[in-house]
Amino acid sequence: MRTKTSLIILTVLSLASSLRAEVMADAEPSLRKDRQAGNQKSPGDHVVVADTMKPLPPGKVQLRGWLGDSLRLSIANRLKKVDYAHLVEPFRLRNERDGRWRCEFWGKIVRSSIQSWSGQPDDELLVMIRKTVADLISTQTPDGCISSYPVELQTKDWDIWGRKYVLLGLARYYLEIEQSEAVKKAMTRELDYLMTQVGPGTNNIVNCGHQSGLAASSILEPVVLTYRITGEKRFLDYALWIAAQGGSSANNIYTSILQGIPPCKLGNGKAYEMMSCFEGLAELYRETGNPDQKKSVLAFYRAVRDQEIFMTGVGGLKDSWGEFWDNGKIKQAQLHVGSLGETCVTTTWIKFCGQVLRLTGDSTVADEMERALYNGVLGAMVPDGSWWMHRNPTPLAGPSNKDRAGDQIKGYGEDCCLAQGPRALAVAPWMAVMKDARGPVINLYESTEAAVELADGTPVKLAIEGKYPASGEVSVVVTPAKPGKFPLKLRIPAWSRKTTVAVNGQDFAGVAGTYLCIERNWNPGDVIKIQLDLRIQIHEAADGGGRVALTYGPVVLAQDSRLGNVDAPICTDKLDACVIEPNPPKGVCMLFRLADGTALCDYASAGNEFSKRNQLCVWMTRSVGK
Ligand SMILES: [Zn+2]
C-alpha cells in the first residue's frame, strides 16, 4: 500500500523525465527530498540534436567479468582511499603561485569517482562524493570565484584549465547524481566570474594558459554543460564565442581539420587538450545542430583514429611523457620517438569516442573503445586497482617495462594520469549496453546484467553470459516484462570475420563492423547464442620495418619476461594452431602458446609487476623466412 508521502514522491518522479532520478530515489532517501524541492525541468530539455545512442542510467549495467572486477578494485583501492580534502585545499588557500596544476586534480578525480559510482553504485563512495562537492563549493568567494590561483595570477598558466575541471566535476555531479540547486548556483557563479576576465572585449581565450590556447579553450565542454543545466542563454553565447576563437592561437583547429590538416599540425599538437576541445564541440553541436560542427568532430575522430592511435588503443608520443600527436600510427613500432601513450590521452580518446558513438551509432567506434579498454586502459592499471601508470611501456617495439605514475608536482602526491585512469575504466559499463530510440544495444560481451527501458516504458532485462574475451561463445538471455516486438542490436566487431548468431535456433547473419539488428517478438527467457571469431590475427607495422603484432579478438598479445625471452623473434606460421593455455601463471590473465612454443600473454597482464625486471614487447620481430 502506498503512503501519501510515497505518492507525492512518485508524482514528482513521474514529472522528471530522467530515469536516473528514479534510480537515485530508490538508492538514496536524502536525494528524494532534493528532488521534491528542486526544479523538475530536466537539464537539456532544450537540446536541439538528440543522440542516436544513449547510455543507460546509473546502476543499470553491472559488469561481472574482467572489466567489472577491475572497476570494483579501482573503486575500493583507489577512489575510496583518496584524501578528497587534500584536493580541495588549493582552492581554499588560493595560493598556487608556481604556475602548476594542483587545480586539475579535484575535478579529474571526482569525475572518475562519479562515473565509477554510476557503473557500480557504492554508498560509501557516494557519501565521499557528496561531501567533497559541498567542501569545494564552500571555497567559493562572494565574487563567484573557485580557483587555486591568487587573483593577480588568474587566467595565466593552468588556471582556466583547473576551473574547467571544477565545472566538469560539478556538472557530472548534477547530471549523474543530484540536480542540486546549490551545485547549479555554484556553476553559474563560477562561469559568470570567468566571463568578467575572459571574453569579447577583454582577454581572448586562445591567449590564456598553455599549449597554444588548447588547454584554456577546452573549457568549452563545461560551458556548454552549464548552459544545458541552467538554460541561461549567455552561457550558450559564451560557448559560441569560445568555439569561434578556434581553440588555438596557432590555427583554428575546428576549421583546419576540415581542410585536411592532420592532428599533429593542429594547435601545438598537444593530444588530450585538443581532444578535449573537440569533446566540447560535440556538446556544442547538440545545442546548435550546426552541421559544420558535427562534420568537424567526425573528421577529427577519423583523422586521430587513422593517423595516431596505437595497436593498444592508446596515443601520444614525441616528448618524455608521450603527450603529443606525431604520426603515432606509423611511429608506434619504432624505437626513438619519445615516450608513448600518456594515460590522459587514452582516457580522453575513449571519452571522445563515446561522444562520437552517441552522435553516430557507428559500431566501429565501439570497436575502438573496446580495443582501448582491454589493452591501454586495463594495461595502465596496477592489478589491485590502487595505482596507474602515466605512459605506456616505451617503446612498444623492443623490450620495455611499465612504471607507476610518480609524484608529478613534488610533494603534492598526485599525477594527472593517476587521476584520469579510473575515468577511462568507468567507460566500460557506460558503453557495454546502451539504447537507441527503439531498443537495447549490446556493445560489450563480458558477463553483464543490464536493465533497459523501451520507449513505451517496458523494462527489459538482459543477462550476458560467457567467458569473453577468453572465449567467443556468448549467450544473452532476454527478459522483457511482457512479450513484445522490438529491435535489439548486437555489435558485430570488425575483427570478428565470421560471426554466427541464433535466437531460439533461428539463425541471423552478422556482418563484421556493423550492428546486427534483430527485430522480432521477444518472450521472457529468449536466448541469443553468439559465436564470435577470435582467431589470432597478424598486423604488420605501418612503418614497413617488418615488426608484427598479434591480436586475439580485441586483445593485443605481448611477450613478457616471466614467460620467455622478450624481443626474441617469433614464428608466425600456423597461427590457427595457437592455443590458450588453461592455467596461466600468477598475475597473467590470458596465456597463449604459438606453434613454435613461444608463450605470449594479453597486453594488460604483460609487465604488470611494474618493475624494471618485468619486460614486455608488443611489436615483435619474425624469425627468418617468415
Ligand atoms: Zn596524464
Side-chain angles (χ1 to χ4, degrees), residues 34-54:
D34 294 334
R35 293 289 307 162
Q36 290 173 76
N39 89 62
Q40 300 309 319
K41 200 166 179 277
S42 283
D45 280 350
H46 49 267
V47 164
V48 173
V49 179
D51 282 327
T52 304
M53 216 166 262
K54 290 181 180 172

Side-chain angles (χ1 to χ4, degrees), residues 560-590:
D560 181 294
S561 54
R562 293 167 296 183
L563 306 173
N565 291 333
V566 168
D567 205 27
I570 58 163
C571 171
T572 54
D573 280 351
K574 300 181 193 158
L575 284 178
D576 281 348
C578 175
V579 291
I580 293 198
E581 302 219 333
N583 297 308
K586 191 168 173 289
V588 171
C589 203
M590 295 162 75

Side-chain angles (χ1 to χ4, degrees), residues 272 342 344 390 415-417:
Y272 92 93
E342 184 194 12
C344 285
H390 186 110
D415 173 275
C416 54
C417 295

Side-chain angles (χ1 to χ4, degrees), residues 283-296:
E283 291 292 3
L284 185 59
Y285 166 68
R286 292 192 177 94
E287 302 295 343
T288 63
N290 179 341
D292 288 340
Q293 291 164 350
K294 184 179 179 186
K295 264 189 228 161
S296 181

Side-chain angles (χ1 to χ4, degrees), residues 77-94:
N77 295 335
R78 167 64 186 161
L79 296 174
K80 282 161 70 171
K81 301 272 170 70
V82 168
D83 177 357
Y84 290 91
H86 176 60
L87 307 180
V88 173
E89 197 175 42
F91 298 98
R92 197 175 308 287
L93 299 175
R94 205 174 281 176

